[in-house]
Amino acid sequence: MNASSESKNNLEQVVSLAKRRGFIFQSSELYGGINGFWDYGPMGSELKRNVREAWWKFTVHEREDVVGLDATIIMHPRIWEASGHIGGFADPMVDCKDCKKRHRADQLCEEQGAKLIQDGKNWKLPEGTKCTSCGSKNLTEPRSFNLMFKTYVGPVEDESSVSYLRPETAQAIFAQFLNILPTSRKSVPFGVAQSGKSFRNEINPRNFTFRSREFEQMELEFFIRPDEAVELICGRVTTLADNPDLTGKPQDDWGWDVWHKYWVEQRLAWFRSIGLPGDSLVEYWQTREELAHYARACVDIEYAFPFGVQELEGVAARSDFDLSQHQKFSGKSMTVMDDKLRLAVSEMDDAKKAEFRAKTIASWKASGKSEEDAGAFCDLLFEGRYIPHVVEPSLGTDRLVLALLCNAYDEEEVADANGKKEVRTVLRLHPAVAPIKVAVFPLVKNRPELYEKARGVFKRLQRYWNCFWDESGAIGRRYRRQDEVGTPFCVTVDFDTLENDTVTVRMRDSMEQVRMPVSELRSYLEEAMKV
Ligand code: ATP
């Protein structure tokens, strides 16, 4: 299923096919377009929906420890204060004073093989940085630009009514944690998943849908016990150094680093299952300097896009930062009662507790935290309580759709019915995400009996899959049209069908055809779609 390398590297071909075949259009094209916004057409909306549904099935329905959420886009502005977005969700921006082009300063430096210099809250361009548009060195100093879209709630436009379009879906999960916990009847470790729109006023949207101003995310917050609670419950903490089996059922004694790696592996497995080859994905472990101050580890899962190897999904171990922030800002306790922990501590005598406390204080102090905080944390643990930690896989739906399109795009030379060579454009999408699963064709449309038979086959298949009916043009042309939108199977009803109730099924990738009884069609296709 691999696309040939020269066609894979051509973003322009993918952009052109996306437009020509109704996958992705420029938003507001009628009025000249609007930068950083994209619409999904008849094929694109199906593809994106399939991606979303496959993610939900894998992340929520096929597990017993993850539930869903569907929260609003506009939320109380205090949420964004607590999360740090109002204070710190900013990118550095520079303008070229000559050609007036605006750049994201870190990207401008990277493109010239350099690194933006950060000095506290200020940024500085390294010596010799040029505008990549006109080559001028006449650039402004980098200025901080907050990426959140602002709006006003209600009729009065003043400071008290300012609110924001969410820049990520994740915060709602933390903000609704206290409602989700009792109503889901789950206990830690468990997760909450959400997919939906996010908005970022990106300084420089680019690379087609890769960096947009309105986009979709699919995010999971998976809540885990702090390692100290795991130790009290299990008497040990399994870490990655112990080489645990990550393919089986998660274990009670897993520490945070095992959970983190487990989710990286889960995400990679899911990407492979929907057709992104493992060798096109890169696991990039952020260095200590790159990590956010609260993060313990973060892996960027990167894909080899035609414009470079770039982030598709981030999987971050975020400690208890998010829930602790919301506890601080809302004044409501974000601690959970853990029955297993309560039982474990009820069996500890005072000497054991004192020993545990001393060990915890020493290790917290060694990592720069206060003795007072460590003591308060132990007191909570001894009551059977803690603020859960979290592992967050965060994926952009549009980026994934783009990766799937780039990976699936292929051109190959084939011979037509008369032996003449022609180029076939084919989207080798995995059947799980293909917009149309089966196309049904009557060989001719002017024979009522044959036509009706074909309609019957179409209607039957339509009960199970998104099917497409096409009665116009030569059959070869009809196959080619389906190849271009990635339809894995075409079913043709012909004169033999009327004789013996058989049809031909034509495969997109191999172009092979097999003949089979209509009665076996459904089970055959069901099997073939599992690839
Ligand atoms: P970047 O550094 O590229 O701006 P980020 O690291 O801030 O992105 P996150 O906040 O981790 O991105 O967002 C999680 C995921 O959401 C990303 O991995 C990406 O798939 C998606 N995403 C983020 N910003 C955009 C955007 N502007 N357009 C499309 N997808 C995006």
Side-chain angles (χ1 to χ4, degrees):
M1 294 270 266
N2 268 340
S4 65
S5 52
E6 74 268 24
S7 60
K8 259 181 94 165
N9 282 330
N10 201 334
L11 184 65
E12 270 169 38
Q13 288 169 308
V14 172
V15 174
S16 152
L17 177 96
K19 172 152 196 216
R20 198 169 72 241
R21 286 301 183 192
F23 282 89
I24 301 171
F25 307 129
Q26 199 182 10
S27 165
S28 322
E29 195 183 311
L30 189 62
Y31 291 93
I34 169 166
N35 195 9
F37 296 85
W38 300 94
D39 292 342
Y40 289 75
M43 289 301 143
S45 55
E46 294 291 341
L47 171 59
K48 198 167 166 186
R49 171 189 291 263
N50 292 340
V51 167
R52 230 187 267 124
E53 283 175 4
W55 179 81
W56 194 262
K57 184 163 174 276
F58 182 87
T59 313
V60 184
H61 288 177
E62 286 177 0
R63 302 183 64 98
E64 290 171 49
D65 54 2
V66 176
V67 293
L69 178 71
D70 188 350
T72 59
I73 285 167
I74 293 177
M75 298 189 286
H76 197 292
R78 287 277 285 168
I79 288 179
W80 305 115
E81 270 178 59
S83 68
H85 283 83
I86 288 182
F89 191 56
D91 279 340
M93 171 172 87
V94 285
D95 290 318
C96 172
K97 291 184 195 159
D98 289 333
C99 77
K100 311 290 176 221
K101 171 98 181 152
R102 179 157 288 171
H103 303 273
R104 211 172 105 177
D106 53 333
Q107 291 172 349
L108 189 70
C109 296
E110 260 166 44
E111 281 160 10
Q112 296 170 50
K115 231 177 155 40
L116 184 67
I117 304 159
Q118 186 152 15
D119 176 15
K121 282 205 153 186
N122 298 320
W123 285 294
K124 238 179 110 49
L125 291 173
E127 229 18 70
T129 310
K130 295 189 289 219
C131 170
T132 43
S133 279
C134 72
S136 160
K137 290 187 184 162
N138 196 7
L139 302 168
T140 63
E141 282 301 312
R143 284 161 295 151
S144 178
F145 173 73
N146 193 299
L147 299 182
M148 283 200 294
F149 277 99
K150 242 187 203 176
T151 186
Y152 298 94
V153 171
V156 184
E157 294 192 5
D158 64 14
E159 271 309 299
S160 69
S161 63
V162 167
S163 48
Y164 303 91
L165 304 191
R166 66 181 179 200
E168 60 172 42
T169 63
Q171 283 309 315
I173 297 176
F174 302 121
Q176 285 293 8
F177 182 73
L178 295 180
N179 280 326
I180 297 168
L181 188 65
T183 50
S184 64
R185 302 189 51 232
K186 299 285 174 212
S187 50
V188 177
F190 81 106
V192 183
Q194 174 164 228
S195 81
K197 291 275 190 182
S198 292
F199 301 81
R200 296 183 187 178
N201 201 0
E202 297 282 356
I203 295 167
N204 198 359
R206 58 183 181 172
N207 291 331
F208 198 22
T209 55
F210 179 84
R211 187 173 300 288
S212 312
R213 289 179 166 143
E214 174 174 341
F215 56 97
E216 262 186 59
Q217 290 181 308
M218 303 190 283
E219 296 192 294
L220 168 68
E221 299 303 330
F222 196 85
F223 298 101
I224 56 172
R225 296 183 171 112
D227 279 4
E228 291 85 348
V230 172
E231 191 185 335
L232 288 174
I233 294 168
C234 302
R236 65 180 177 278
V237 180
T238 295
T239 70
L240 267 187
D242 301 316
N243 218 358
D245 172 18
L246 298 173
T247 56
K249 202 169 162 281
Q251 299 297 313
D252 265 350
D253 63 1
W254 281 5
W256 72 266
D257 72 341
V258 180
W259 273 112
H260 178 243
K261 179 72 173 153
Y262 165 82
W263 277 109
V264 172
E265 293 300 323
Q266 288 285 308
R267 307 303 311 133
L268 289 169
W270 182 67
F271 287 132
R272 287 193 296 268
S273 79
I274 58 163
L276 280 189
D279 61 8
S280 66
L281 297 166
V282 178
E283 220 180 281
Y284 175 77
W285 288 74
Q286 288 189 8
T287 60
R288 205 170 265 279
E289 296 74 54
E290 288 168 320
L291 283 178
H293 67 94
Y294 47 81
R296 291 179 160 179
C298 187
V299 169
D300 294 342
I301 299 177
E302 300 178 329
Y303 174 76
F305 286 96
F307 41 85
V309 179
Q310 300 264 345
E311 175 179 331
L312 192 57
E313 171 156 27
V315 184
R318 299 174 59 89
S319 71
D320 62 355
F321 174 75
D322 306 276
L323 287 180
S324 296
Q325 283 293 101
H326 286 295
Q327 173 167 296
K328 202 156 106 194
F329 278 72
S330 70
K332 309 241 167 64
S333 167
M334 290 288 174
T335 61
V336 298
M337 171 61 81
D338 185 322
D339 288 339
K340 282 190 185 167
L341 178 62
R342 197 169 47 166
L343 184 69
V345 291
S346 73
E347 287 165 359
M348 285 170 82
D349 59 24
D350 286 349
K352 276 221 159 109
K353 284 186 182 167
E355 190 190 322
F356 179 84
R357 177 188 291 272
K359 195 172 108 184
T360 306
I361 289 175
S363 96
W364 277 44
K365 277 173 74 178
S367 59
K369 290 185 248 172
S370 81
E371 180 167 346
E372 199 188 344
D373 287 351
F377 172 68
C378 290
D379 289 342
L380 259 183
L381 287 178
F382 295 151
E383 288 170 28
R385 307 187 77 91
Y386 51 79
I387 295 176
H389 286 224
V390 77
V391 175
E392 177 193 81
S394 169
L395 170 64
T397 317
D398 310 77
R399 275 193 195 175
L400 177 54
V401 166
L402 181 58
L404 289 168
L405 286 173
C406 292
N407 179 67
Y409 187 93
D410 198 9
E411 287 178 3
E412 63 178 7
E413 205 171 72
V414 291
D416 71 7
N418 307 317
K420 206 175 121 224
K421 294 243 167 93
E422 61 174 11
V423 173
R424 172 174 95 117
T425 302
V426 53
L427 272 189
R428 300 187 191 278
L429 289 169
H430 190 286
V433 295
I436 298 166
K437 313 288 187 216
V438 190
V440 180
F441 309 147
L443 183 67
V444 292
K445 60 178 171 186
N446 54 4
R447 290 286 292 265
E449 210 187 337
L450 191 151
Y451 190 87
E452 282 315 311
K453 179 75 194 168
R455 287 295 300 169
V457 169
F458 173 66
K459 284 282 164 199
R460 245 171 77 186
L461 295 177
Q462 222 188 7
R463 294 214 293 262
Y464 309 103
W465 296 291
N466 187 30
C467 296
F468 190 82
W469 172 261
D470 191 355
E471 59 183 42
S472 60
I475 212 82
R477 294 274 312 274
R478 285 185 252 173
Y479 285 148
R480 291 287 185 277
R481 287 200 287 258
Q482 294 307 313
D483 289 343
E484 278 203 327
V485 295
T487 307
F489 309 101
C490 294
V491 172
T492 302
V493 172
D494 58 19
F495 294 104
D496 286 352
T497 315
L498 301 178
E499 300 287 317
N500 57 17
D501 213 29
T502 61
V503 289
T504 57
V505 179
R506 184 262 194 186
M507 322 298 162
R508 174 196 67 200
D509 295 331
S510 62
M511 297 194 292
E512 275 167 22
Q513 300 190 15
V514 289
R515 206 158 182 105
M516 73 181 61
V518 171
S519 59
E520 287 170 20
L521 197 50
R522 184 184 156 208
S523 57
Y524 176 86
L525 290 171
E526 209 161 58
E527 231 7 76
M529 282 192 211
K530 286 185 187 152
V531 288

